[in-house]
Amino acid sequence: MTEAREAVLANVRRALAAADTSPVTVPRSYRDAGTPDPAAMLDLFVERVADYRATVVRCAAGDVEARIAAALPDGARVLVPDGLPWQVPGAVADSGPTGLSSAELDGLDAVVTAATVGIATTGTIVLSHGPAEGRRAVSLVPDLHVCVVRADQVVADVPEAVALLDPGRPTTWISGPSATSDIELDRVEGVHGPRTLHVLVVS
């Protein structure tokens, strides 16, 4: 195994020795598409999130708590991260030095979080796991994720989103409910994360 590894690496080194190392100009014209109309961009975000089979509800800031309550099934056991600015009656807080255990998270039905940024062209929501978003596990284990995205957090594309993120923080990129079609192209949801994604867009 070691000899094979060394042989492969030697081949790579030989190939690189003759490689052209001059600077490469990467076309970035897609970044110069102009400033999109905010209303149209928000409409596109809602459309693309819905394309992923997520439920999308637009609401006013004063209606967020009522909309969260409406998104949660009766009697649901709900988790909220520290710093969530909206009240969720009866919810369990993921507080303390380490938060709830994996087994405790698995016993919950839903989680409610905020988000860091939404991307219109891809319908993606990005969490960077600061206050109101919680650690990565809380957005991956419960089967229902209710995520609140403010209209002013929605940007046009991935480069704009990346520019807003702290590279020193972990991020979770969410494009619809967790799903895979690995086996015979049959879509199965809830394999690697929540089976249901409910997005509240606040404007």
Side-chain angles (χ1 to χ4, degrees):
M1 181 65 77
T2 301
E3 291 180 4
R5 178 175 180 273
E6 290 304 321
V8 169
L9 292 176
N11 286 336
V12 171
R13 292 188 189 100
R14 275 195 296 274
L16 291 177
D20 179 3
T21 58
S22 57
V24 175
T25 300
V26 179
R28 301 292 186 191
S29 57
Y30 60 87
R31 292 181 175 175
D32 300 323
T35 302
D37 173 67
M41 188 170 62
L42 193 60
D43 289 343
L44 179 62
F45 175 71
V46 169
E47 177 186 328
R48 295 288 164 83
V49 173
D51 282 345
Y52 283 114
R53 303 186 186 179
T55 300
V56 189
V57 175
R58 301 175 76 153
C59 67
D63 297 332
V64 172
E65 291 183 357
R67 294 295 186 176
I68 290 173
L72 298 171
D74 290 340
R77 296 158 296 175
V78 183
L79 175 73
V80 294
D82 283 344
L84 192 76
W86 306 286
Q87 295 297 312
V88 182
V92 175
D94 186 53
S95 55
T98 59
L100 301 182
S101 67
S102 298
E104 290 170 323
L105 289 177
D106 196 38
L108 297 168
D109 301 305
V111 60
V112 181
T113 75
T116 298
V117 64
I119 305 171
T121 52
T122 62
T124 302
I125 297 163
V126 184
L127 274 60
S128 60
H129 305 291
E133 298 176 28
R135 56 199 168 101
R136 294 195 75 195
V138 306
S139 63
L140 297 174
V141 178
D143 204 34
L144 166 62
H145 182 187
V146 179
C147 188
V148 183
V149 183
R150 298 193 318 270
D152 64 1
Q153 292 178 303
V154 176
V155 298
D157 52 29
V158 171
E160 278 192 53
V162 170
L164 295 174
L165 298 173
D166 180 348
R169 295 192 62 82
T171 57
T172 300
W173 295 58
I174 301 168
S175 297
S178 170
T180 180
S181 299
D182 288 349
I183 301 175
E184 297 184 355
L185 300 180
D186 290 332
R187 181 180 170 97
V188 178
E189 297 182 340
V191 177
H192 307 297
R195 187 170 8 214
T196 304
L197 176 64
H198 193 109
V199 180
L200 300 180
V201 180
V202 184
S203 57

